[in-house]
Amino acid sequence: MNDIKVAEILARYGLSTTKSLGQNFLKDSAVLQSIADAAEGDYILEIGAGIGSLTNLLCQKAKKAVTIEIDRSLEPLLSAQVAEENHRFIWQDVLKCDLQTLAREEFGGKCTVVGNLPYYITTEILLLLLKNIDCWDQAILMVQQEVAERLLAQSGKEYRAASVWMQGLCDGEILFDVPPHCFHPAPHVRSAVVRLKPKTEHPDPKGFIAFAQAAFAARRKMFASSAAVQGLLYTDKAGLCALLEQAGLPQNARAETFSPQEFALLFQLAQNLKDKF
Ligand code: SAM
């Protein structure tokens, strides 16, 4: 497959890429096709249009596709490059988007989220998706390779709060790696495409994300002594020890030794207690 001539297409419209918007556009046709192939479902929400290369492939397989793009200077190019009837652009900052309303009004329900993400806001986008987890049933996302590894780490130095909130809420896998030369311009980092699927049974996202972040603020200290977790759960050290006992976990354990599933269990037990009183 031939590469997309990104620089040439941009130049035709007097445009160039904007680094501050994370504009590393995919030019490798095989990678673009693999992302589109991975995206299942009739309703697709794309984050970030670029020059529309992925958008066009998504339109071919979806009943309806919607793309959120912040950079309005791309509009003349994109209205010429993407002219599918089952597609529309929303010119907006994705972080200001009301996903609940969008999913309901555009798709009448859940959608598949697809994006070669702007890396400068990867975490913010992931958190937005997780806080609106009932709006989508699958996400196919290009992220930095080291971010992908961190999101799916189960232990070790890559294991962070992000690993816990992601795996407590979703099943995830790395589909394939993407080297820098597949983009224009080439980023300084390697990339990877991940598939995320919300777990059928998962904790309340907002509370669970705050819980994981609080627990990891003092990852090397005893979990039961964490003032941040005590504050969040309105309890004290004895309360957290009781919780650990109920979960079958050692009372002197450090937060970083718990798996995402154990975090989810601890959070659920704390919620059950709260609901009881
Ligand atoms: N999908 C295209 C591709 O694969 O070539 C473009 C990917 S490029 C890495 C990221 C895209 O996200 C750019 O088009 C950029 O303008 C857009 N973008 C950056 N920040 C955004 C934001 N806050 N909201 C919506 N789109 C944004």
Side-chain angles (χ1 to χ4, degrees):
M1 274 191 249
N2 290 333
D3 274 359
I4 310 276
K5 304 216 174 327
V6 177
E8 227 173 78
I9 296 171
L10 284 167
R12 235 181 269 155
Y13 293 85
L15 297 168
S16 55
T17 52
T18 305
K19 199 173 169 189
S20 61
L21 288 177
Q23 290 186 345
N24 299 96
F25 299 154
L26 266 171
K27 62 175 187 177
D28 187 300
S29 305
V31 172
L32 284 158
Q33 191 60 56
S34 302
I35 297 175
D37 289 346
E40 293 153 7
D42 289 338
Y43 300 106
I44 295 186
L45 175 64
E46 185 191 23
I47 300 173
I51 60 166
S53 318
L54 184 55
T55 318
N56 274 322
L57 295 177
L58 297 172
C59 289
Q60 281 168 25
K61 58 183 300 181
K63 271 196 186 137
K64 182 171 183 187
V66 171
T67 305
I68 305 173
E69 171 58 57
I70 198 171
D71 185 359
R72 257 210 129 117
S73 74
L74 293 169
E75 196 171 357
L77 180 156
L78 282 168
S79 35
Q81 295 280 322
V82 185
E84 306 297 332
E85 289 199 339
N86 61 343
H87 177 266
R88 94 173 183 97
F89 285 107
I90 297 181
W91 298 97
Q92 200 185 2
D93 178 349
V94 65
L95 300 179
K96 300 213 172 104
C97 198
D98 175 351
L99 282 191
Q100 299 286 334
T101 306
L102 188 152
R104 195 178 52 248
E105 289 182 356
E106 298 290 342
F107 305 125
K110 295 189 187 205
C111 61
T112 296
V113 180
V114 182
N116 168 18
L117 296 186
Y119 292 167
Y120 73 106
I121 46 169
T122 301
T123 305
E124 290 85 345
I125 293 175
L126 292 173
L127 288 171
L128 174 81
L129 293 178
L130 293 178
K131 286 175 184 172
N132 292 282
I133 202 164
D134 52 335
C135 293
W136 52 282
D137 42 26
Q138 191 198 175
I140 305 293
L141 304 174
M142 175 96 72
V143 296
Q144 270 180 250
Q145 194 183 45
E146 67 175 49
V147 172
E149 283 163 5
R150 195 173 303 152
L151 292 173
L152 301 176
Q154 292 269 342
S155 61
K157 77 174 176 22
E158 292 306 321
Y159 190 53
R160 311 276 175 87
S163 327
V164 174
W165 45 251
M166 180 53 76
Q167 295 173 73
L169 296 166
C170 292
D171 293 317
E173 60 176 321
I174 296 181
L175 296 181
F176 50 88
D177 293 342
V178 184
H181 67 77
C182 296
F183 300 82
H184 171 89
H188 297 296
V189 291
R190 289 184 67 82
S191 303
V193 174
V194 294
R195 186 203 307 275
L196 305 173
K197 283 189 174 175
K199 286 185 186 296
T200 356
E201 298 281 321
H202 59 73
D204 162 63
K206 286 185 191 152
F208 185 65
I209 290 166
F211 176 64
Q213 285 167 338
F216 264 73
R219 58 186 285 176
R220 296 207 168 78
K221 291 206 182 126
M222 268 172 57
F223 171 80
S225 305
S226 161
V229 178
Q230 290 173 13
L232 193 83
L233 299 181
Y234 303 105
T235 187
D236 54 11
K237 186 171 175 183
L240 290 187
C241 283
L243 212 58
L244 288 166
E245 191 175 2
Q246 237 191 314
L249 293 167
Q251 308 216 337
N252 59 355
R254 287 171 283 123
E256 63 182 3
T257 64
F258 302 147
S259 68
Q261 294 69 31
E262 286 168 337
F263 271 107
L265 173 64
L266 281 169
F267 182 73
Q268 204 51 59
L269 290 171
Q271 292 303 106
N272 295 347
L273 273 182
K274 200 175 98 196
D275 294 345
K276 227 158 114 185
F277 295 107

